[in-house]
Amino acid sequence: MPRSLSATMIDAPFALPSLNLTHSPFHEVLNTNYVPNDAEIELIGAHLAPHDAELSRLESIIAALAIQRDRVLNYVAPHRALTSKGRRIPQDILEQIFLACLPTHRNALMHSTEPPLVLARVCSSWRFIAFSTPKLWASLHIPANTIGTRAKMVAMVEWLERSAPHPLMLSVNIANSFETSVLSSLLPFAHRWSRLRLSMPNIHTLFLLSNASGPLLTDLDIVFAPRWYSNLTFRGFPAIRRMSISGDGLAGVPTSMLIDRPVHVTHLNLSDTIKNPPQHTRSYLSSPGIYELVKMCQNQLISLQISTWGFDGLGLHDSLSVVRAPCLQFLSITTAEDYCYSRELAILLVHLQLPQLNSLHLPSYNRRTGQFDNLVLHLTQHSPSLCDTTEWPLDLAAFAPRAILPNLWSLETLQILGGVKVTNQSAWIEFVNAHLEYKTSLRNFRLSILGEPPMVMPRPEAFRGMDVAVTYTVTEM
């Protein structure tokens, strides 16, 4: 039967008996490789007997003290919890902390290890706060193959119901037979959609949007696979400001079908992802389509990004009226080089007046000096804020840079990466030196040249701090 720990033992539990712990009769052989004989082993055992007894006494005291310590801790811990600083945080502050835990680079995931669900698993108080903070549930990302059962579908609906009445930010990437069911479950919340991104291989599912009504939806991003249908519209979403649509065959759809209420769109991104377009199929996202898009949205459009098969050569003429887009700041046109008609692209840009244009990105093409010299003059006259451009439409060897530099003070970055054929190898050096002479804003210059490099290249310090990188590619005859 274990001994009880008396008050005397607690007061002086470490009082040792008269044991000699400073000198051992075997001190000369301690910590050596000495092997004692049988008689010496008996002497060692007899010498350690009282010490072993003392060890047992101390261990029983330690065990008893540990039991008493745990009892005291169990009594103190809940009292300490009452005075914890975390418990004193006001609910409104804790709600803001919860909101700061949400991911910033994507919508929230419906997963137990991520907020907000992980916050609701800490304690009953946190669960109550999390479930009574609607804004915490106002975003949701549904990745592929995560909604595969009815229970998860119900959980998704409950998640969105908790978010009322806040606007919803949703991203859906469905690649299975549940995609129609998922979108159908989201439609009752369409009146609260604010941002919606849909990635679905079955475009027939998207027809559910045609009858939906979303007065708050401002950002729409759609990625589809097979092909676009001209009778798919978004009449129920009059507030759209940002629209991004990408998929195979998009370039063959009239622009009037892509934008139902174009006057409100400020940021538009249209991308045709088809790999092998028909050689003789008219593209509505070539120069005439781009011209019409800018014309339709000219007073509000801030950013326009077009990615298409290319220009079919059946497009614009010099007799077109000039369209002024006073708000357009970013213009990017990308296309396969084999389908790019440089003259048509130049005519398009000459017929656009973009006074606030800040960034211009164009595809690679074979430059035709006369047409593109006119374009450069046009840009210098009507786009004085231009500061960043890729694929500058200019043959440096055939154009006098000093004629345009006074109107290019804002240009900071210039990249000509399509591989330029030049006859005067020093043309780019003269171009850079002219910018240095006029003290313009140009600080980054990138140029890719088809041909042999000169025998002597300028040293970096000759450019007086400008970041200049010129690469030469020798073509085989």
Side-chain angles (χ1 to χ4, degrees):
M1 187 174 215
R3 295 182 299 170
S4 62
L5 191 61
S6 66
T8 303
M9 291 178 66
I10 296 176
D11 292 338
F14 304 113
L16 299 177
S18 56
L19 296 176
N20 185 359
L21 299 178
T22 60
H23 183 75
S24 169
F26 304 95
H27 70 279
E28 294 182 352
V29 295
L30 293 178
N31 301 315
T32 68
N33 292 329
Y34 178 75
V35 179
N37 55 35
D38 293 343
E40 291 173 324
I41 291 176
E42 292 182 1
L43 291 174
I44 293 173
H47 175 71
L48 293 180
H51 297 79
D52 290 336
E54 180 62 13
L55 281 176
S56 298
R57 185 182 76 87
L58 292 175
E59 288 175 353
S60 64
I61 293 174
I62 291 172
L65 287 172
I67 294 173
Q68 187 166 344
R69 178 202 61 194
D70 292 342
R71 291 178 60 191
V72 174
L73 281 177
N74 292 336
Y75 180 83
V76 168
H79 291 77
R80 294 292 187 197
L82 289 175
T83 63
S84 65
K85 294 182 179 179
R87 189 182 293 260
R88 300 172 62 187
I89 299 177
Q91 179 171 334
D92 58 340
I93 301 298
L94 201 56
E95 289 174 359
Q96 295 302 314
I97 295 174
F98 284 5
L99 292 172
C101 293
L102 293 174
T104 57
H105 61 287
R106 56 168 170 78
N107 293 333
L109 279 173
M110 195 166 59
H111 197 279
S112 60
T113 61
E114 294 214 8
L117 286 179
V118 70
L119 300 173
R121 294 165 60 114
V122 174
C123 62
S124 59
S125 176
W126 279 30
R127 180 180 178 84
F128 171 78
I129 295 174
F131 278 33
S132 59
T133 306
K135 194 174 181 179
L136 201 61
W137 310 89
S139 76
L140 179 61
H141 174 63
I142 306 174
N145 300 321
T146 58
I147 305 295
T149 64
R150 179 168 180 78
K152 289 185 177 181
M153 198 83 70
V154 172
M156 180 189 71
V157 173
E158 291 177 350
W159 176 300
L160 298 178
E161 288 175 344
R162 294 188 200 110
S163 66
H166 289 277
L168 291 171
M169 296 182 292
L170 303 174
S171 49
V172 184
N173 184 11
I174 302 299
N176 55 33
S177 57
F178 280 88
E179 64 177 43
T180 301
S181 300
V182 171
L183 192 54
S184 297
S185 299
L186 296 177
L187 286 177
F189 304 95
H191 64 286
R192 290 198 287 121
W193 289 352
S194 173
R195 299 179 183 177
L196 178 64
R197 186 183 191 279
L198 297 176
S199 179
M200 296 183 173
N202 181 8
I203 197 172
H204 294 282
T205 305
L206 295 180
F207 278 100
L208 294 172
L209 295 179
S210 297
N211 298 321
S213 177
L216 302 181
L217 186 65
T218 59
D219 292 55
L220 178 62
D221 186 350
I222 295 178
V223 180
F224 64 92
R227 67 187 199 67
W228 191 261
Y229 286 83
S230 59
N231 56 342
L232 176 59
T233 61
F234 309 105
R235 293 184 176 86
F237 309 105
I240 290 178
R241 297 296 183 270
R242 296 174 178 266
M243 178 182 288
S244 176
I245 304 177
S246 60
D248 292 353
L250 184 64
V253 182
T255 53
S256 59
M257 295 296 181
L258 297 174
I259 306 178
D260 189 55
R261 299 176 183 267
V263 294
H264 301 298
V265 175
T266 60
H267 295 73
L268 181 60
N269 184 352
L270 302 176
S271 177
D272 194 318
T273 57
I274 195 168
K275 300 300 182 183
N276 299 301
Q279 290 288 341
H280 302 289
T281 300
R282 182 172 180 79
S283 171
Y284 286 94
L285 292 187
S286 63
S287 56
I290 299 173
Y291 177 84
E292 290 298 325
L293 282 173
V294 176
K295 188 175 181 179
M296 293 165 68
C297 312
Q298 65 185 81
N299 292 323
Q300 278 75 34
L301 197 60
I302 296 175
S303 173
L304 177 61
Q305 301 180 63
I306 299 290
S307 177
T308 183
W309 309 340
F311 296 161
D312 52 22
L314 302 175
L316 302 175
H317 302 285
D318 293 325
S319 59
L320 285 172
S321 60
V322 173
V323 173
R324 179 179 172 84
C327 302
L328 190 63
Q329 299 176 14
F330 181 88
L331 176 60
S332 175
I333 302 173
T334 58
T335 182
E337 187 174 4
D338 292 343
Y339 295 92
C340 184
Y341 286 73
S342 57
R343 181 180 179 276
E344 188 176 344
L345 178 60
I347 294 176
L348 166 67
L349 296 176
V350 166
H351 285 81
L352 300 178
Q353 285 190 8
L354 313 174
Q356 297 299 321
L357 187 64
N358 180 272
S359 184
L360 174 65
H361 298 266
L362 301 176
S364 301
Y365 40 70
N366 295 322
R367 295 168 180 79
R368 299 179 180 179
T369 303
Q371 189 66 47
F372 279 94
D373 289 352
N374 293 336
L375 172 56
V376 171
L377 288 175
H378 175 82
L379 291 173
T380 59
Q381 293 172 3
H382 299 286
S383 302
S385 300
L386 187 63
C387 66
D388 174 39
T389 179
T390 301
E391 290 307 321
W392 185 248
L394 174 65
D395 185 346
L396 298 180
F399 198 86
R402 288 173 176 78
I404 63 171
L405 285 177
N407 296 316
L408 287 178
W409 295 110
S410 301
L411 190 63
E412 298 175 357
T413 300
L414 173 57
Q415 302 183 63
I416 309 175
L417 306 177
V420 182
K421 294 181 180 180
V422 298
T423 55
N424 180 5
Q425 296 291 354
S426 62
W428 69 267
I429 301 175
E430 296 174 2
F431 185 83
V432 171
N433 287 336
H435 275 272
L436 296 172
E437 176 185 342
Y438 279 86
K439 297 181 180 179
T440 67
S441 300
L442 187 64
R443 292 295 176 267
N444 298 279
F445 180 66
R446 298 287 185 273
L447 176 63
S448 173
I449 295 178
L450 297 176
E452 296 281 352
M455 296 297 295
V456 179
M457 290 284 289
R459 298 177 63 85
E461 52 267 25
F463 301 123
R464 290 176 273 173
M466 183 185 298
D467 185 7
V468 177
V470 179
T471 59
Y472 286 83
T473 302
V474 180
T475 57
E476 298 181 359
M477 300 299 294

